[in-house]
Amino acid sequence: MSRVINGNYPVSDDLRGRVQQAMEQLEYHPNAIARGLRRQQTQSIGVLIPQVNDSYLGMFSHIVEKTLFAHHYRALLCSTEESLEKETAYIESLLQQRVDGVIMFPRAHSRQNVERLLKQDIPVVMIERKLPDLPVHHVLVKNYEGGYIGMRHLIDLGHRNIALIAAYFETYPISERIQGALDAKRDAGIVLNPEDFLSIKSEERRFEIGYRLAVEILKRPHDRARFSL
Amino acid sequence: MSRVINGNYPVSDDLRGRVQQAMEQLEYHPNAIARGLRRQQTQSIGVLIPQVNDSYLGMFSHIVEKTLFAHHYRALLCSTEESLEKETAYIESLLQQRVDGVIMFPRAHSRQNVERLLKQDIPVVMIERKLPDLPVHHVLVKNYEGGYIGMRHLIDLGHRNIALIAAYFETYPISERIQGALDAKRDAGIVLNPEDFLSIKSEERRFEIGYRLAVEILKRPHDRARFSL
DNA sequence: CTGTTAGCGCATTCAA
DNA sequence: TTGAATGCGCTAACAG
């Protein structure tokens, strides 16, 4: 009897006892599928991440999973692998799965996918990316401040020749950090040397290129602090 | 019409066209919940891992997710955090979710949980742990050979004083590796010095203790190669 | 080839 | 307080 399991209706102790005993004997496990169909609610949240296999994102997904678990929700972790195609396929899957909500950590331009979710009235939380004109929740880090503080720290340490390496420099969180860093430089009255800003194109493998650029910088004359965003 | 979607019944082009058009207009997404209830099959596989947030396990879960995805299955990643309680809670959840199968990467003694799954006829795949008397699939690495080859390599390099650090030394994959390593030593006619085998108790934080033990070994006199399992 | 129907397991009515 | 009936959206079986 559903009333015993959910405890949202008055039930006599006698009946409850008999039902519970029967449940144990039959090794009965409530069918979450049928319940989801009836209640139109699945207690599951889609979590889209560029790659689970990454220290920062792994930490992020872990804490999300842990929190959802504690609130009796299940996280459907979806590794998009930076691919918009896979993200789209996963969105379709989550739509069919009738998830109660979606948390997105997008790298690519996922606007259309977000719109598809909203059209089906599925709440969306965006991490570290802005979609100001859409009714979604945002979780944003103080990127500008981070960039500013980081650069400021190096300046306070006495460094003056500070180069900047950035990937995805045209996208939201990074552009903010860069702006913060550049502003810190400007506020300290340090000349902005264009050759000190090295960007990595999005298509390139970021790790290797970052390494190569760093090596190049270190080959330059003078003492230089490095700063990677 | 389900026949159009699934394409497993003959349908005229005319009807198919009309149905497809209607689907687009209504922004129809097949309800996987209802389908799962009807078909008694959910196209989802539970994947239990001690921690997603770990380089080796992260890689493992990533490749599993990728493979399942390609086969139109969804991976329900469950991070057990080395806790038997959380593993048990997840097993119950997967049981209720009616997953089509479970892949387990257990650290703790998960025998009972495996038995609960089998009792409901859910296929189980065990990674790197043996449960010989249970009808489960096993995926095992050649641990003995790995330990043997590793030790053999150091011996071939000319080292003679070789210490061994191991956590969970009493559990399956590790004990195999240790046996392999010790056999390699014996086969090379090297005396087994008991103080060369350092174990880490399972309760301890493995990383820090491993580091401390390694430092201790390095303080010893003589040239010693280190070997961690 | 196509329309109709029953039932998957549950939660929520409505009666009793 | 409890039993019985309905329908969530789908697919498989059965007619047509």
Side-chain angles (χ1 to χ4, degrees):
Chain A
M1 214 44 147
S2 120
R3 304 196 248 247
V4 173
I5 296 169
N6 298 305
N8 47 0
Y9 274 86
V11 176
S12 72
D13 288 351
D14 171 49
L15 180 60
R16 190 199 331 281
R18 278 157 49 217
V19 171
Q20 280 171 346
Q21 196 184 345
M23 278 172 36
E24 281 185 29
Q25 280 183 9
L26 300 170
E27 302 188 69
Y28 169 83
H29 300 273
N31 187 328
I33 301 295
R35 173 187 299 205
L37 181 60
R38 180 59 235 246
R39 285 205 190 154
Q40 303 286 58
Q41 177 186 334
T42 55
Q43 298 291 112
S44 62
I45 303 287
V47 182
L48 285 154
I49 320 186
Q51 29 178 338
V52 243
N53 186 17
D54 169 293
S55 70
Y56 175 58
L57 296 172
M59 228 169 145
F60 171 81
S61 59
H62 180 253
I63 194 81
V64 167
E65 184 271 345
K66 202 170 165 177
T67 307
L68 287 176
F69 188 90
H71 289 258
H72 302 286
Y73 276 83
R74 293 296 170 259
L76 301 186
L77 278 186
C78 306
S79 182
T80 59
E81 298 171 64
E82 311 273 1
S83 141
L84 193 56
E85 287 74 43
K86 203 175 175 195
E87 180 179 293
T88 303
Y90 257 128
I91 293 287
E92 177 59 31
S93 174
L94 294 175
L95 239 21
Q96 299 192 2
Q97 224 62 242
R98 298 296 192 272
V99 290
D100 295 340
V102 171
I103 297 172
M104 296 191 69
F105 207 137
R107 280 253 210 264
H109 309 290
S110 332
R111 169 172 258 284
Q112 285 204 351
N113 283 331
V114 173
E115 285 173 346
R116 290 176 69 201
L117 291 168
L118 295 176
K119 212 171 284 178
Q120 306 291 331
D121 291 315
I122 297 178
V124 174
V125 176
M126 298 280 290
I127 312 293
E128 277 293 85
R129 186 113 343 178
K130 280 183 180 170
L131 243 32
D133 54 327
L134 256 29
V136 301
H137 302 263
H138 288 282
V139 175
L140 303 170
V141 164
K142 287 185 175 177
N143 285 293
Y144 177 88
E145 288 81 350
Y148 194 99
I149 291 170
M151 180 61 84
R152 180 67 200 222
H153 179 66
L154 292 179
I155 292 169
D156 288 347
L157 287 176
H159 297 289
R160 285 300 172 268
N161 294 312
I162 305 171
L164 212 57
I165 302 178
Y168 300 110
F169 66 94
E170 72 284 9
T171 61
Y172 163 69
I174 308 297
S175 65
E176 294 274 290
R177 290 180 214 166
I178 291 170
Q179 198 52 53
L182 295 181
D183 284 0
K185 246 187 166 178
R186 190 205 55 210
D187 292 353
I190 298 176
V191 183
L192 297 174
N193 188 347
E195 74 171 17
D196 282 346
F197 177 60
L198 303 180
S199 66
I200 300 175
K201 295 187 194 66
S202 305
E203 316 87 65
E204 298 174 313
R205 291 292 307 278
R206 296 182 301 139
F207 214 82
E208 288 77 355
I209 306 285
Y211 181 81
R212 189 169 58 70
L213 289 177
V215 168
E216 274 179 28
I217 289 174
L218 291 174
K219 278 186 192 152
R220 291 186 189 173
H222 313 305
D223 154 64
R224 285 167 188 270
R226 280 74 59 193
F227 192 10
S228 166
L229 285 173
Chain B
M1 216 46 152
S2 118
R3 305 197 249 250
V4 173
I5 296 168
N6 298 304
N8 46 1
Y9 274 86
V11 176
S12 74
D13 288 352
D14 172 49
L15 180 59
R16 183 188 350 271
R18 276 158 49 217
V19 171
Q20 280 172 346
Q21 197 184 345
M23 277 171 37
E24 281 185 29
Q25 281 184 8
L26 300 171
E27 302 188 71
Y28 168 83
H29 300 274
N31 186 328
I33 301 293
R35 173 188 299 206
L37 181 60
R38 181 59 234 243
R39 284 204 190 156
Q40 304 285 58
Q41 177 187 334
T42 55
Q43 298 292 113
S44 62
I45 303 287
V47 183
L48 285 154
I49 320 185
Q51 28 177 339
V52 241
N53 186 17
D54 168 294
S55 68
Y56 175 58
L57 296 172
M59 227 169 147
F60 171 81
S61 59
H62 181 253
I63 195 81
V64 167
E65 183 272 344
K66 203 170 165 177
T67 308
L68 287 176
F69 187 90
H71 289 259
H72 303 287
Y73 275 84
R74 293 297 171 259
L76 301 187
L77 279 186
C78 306
S79 182
T80 59
E81 298 171 64
E82 312 273 2
S83 141
L84 193 56
E85 288 73 42
K86 203 175 176 194
E87 180 179 292
T88 303
Y90 256 130
I91 293 287
E92 177 59 30
S93 174
L94 294 175
L95 240 20
Q96 298 193 1
Q97 222 62 239
R98 299 294 193 272
V99 290
D100 295 340
V102 171
I103 297 171
M104 296 192 69
F105 207 135
R107 281 254 209 264
H109 311 289
S110 330
R111 168 173 261 282
Q112 285 204 350
N113 283 331
V114 173
E115 285 172 346
R116 291 177 69 201
L117 290 168
L118 294 176
K119 212 170 284 177
Q120 306 291 332
D121 291 315
I122 297 178
V124 174
V125 177
M126 297 281 290
I127 312 293
E128 277 295 82
R129 186 114 344 177
K130 278 185 181 169
L131 242 32
D133 54 326
L134 255 29
V136 302
H137 302 263
H138 289 281
V139 176
L140 303 170
V141 165
K142 287 184 176 176
N143 285 294
Y144 177 88
E145 288 80 351
Y148 194 98
I149 292 169
M151 179 63 82
R152 180 66 201 221
H153 179 66
L154 292 180
I155 292 169
D156 288 347
L157 288 176
H159 297 288
R160 284 299 172 269
N161 294 312
I162 305 172
L164 213 57
I165 301 178
Y168 299 110
F169 66 94
E170 72 284 8
T171 60
Y172 164 70
I174 309 296
S175 63
E176 294 274 291
R177 289 179 213 167
I178 291 171
Q179 197 52 53
L182 295 181
D183 283 1
K185 247 187 167 178
R186 190 205 53 210
D187 291 354
I190 298 177
V191 183
L192 297 174
N193 187 346
E195 74 169 18
D196 282 346
F197 177 59
L198 303 180
S199 67
I200 300 175
K201 294 186 194 66
S202 305
E203 315 87 65
E204 298 174 313
R205 293 291 306 279
R206 298 181 300 139
F207 214 82
E208 289 78 354
I209 306 285
Y211 181 80
R212 189 168 56 71
L213 289 176
V215 169
E216 274 178 29
I217 289 172
L218 291 174
K219 279 186 193 152
R220 292 185 189 174
H222 313 306
D223 156 64
R224 287 168 188 269
R226 278 75 58 194
F227 191 11
S228 167
L229 286 173

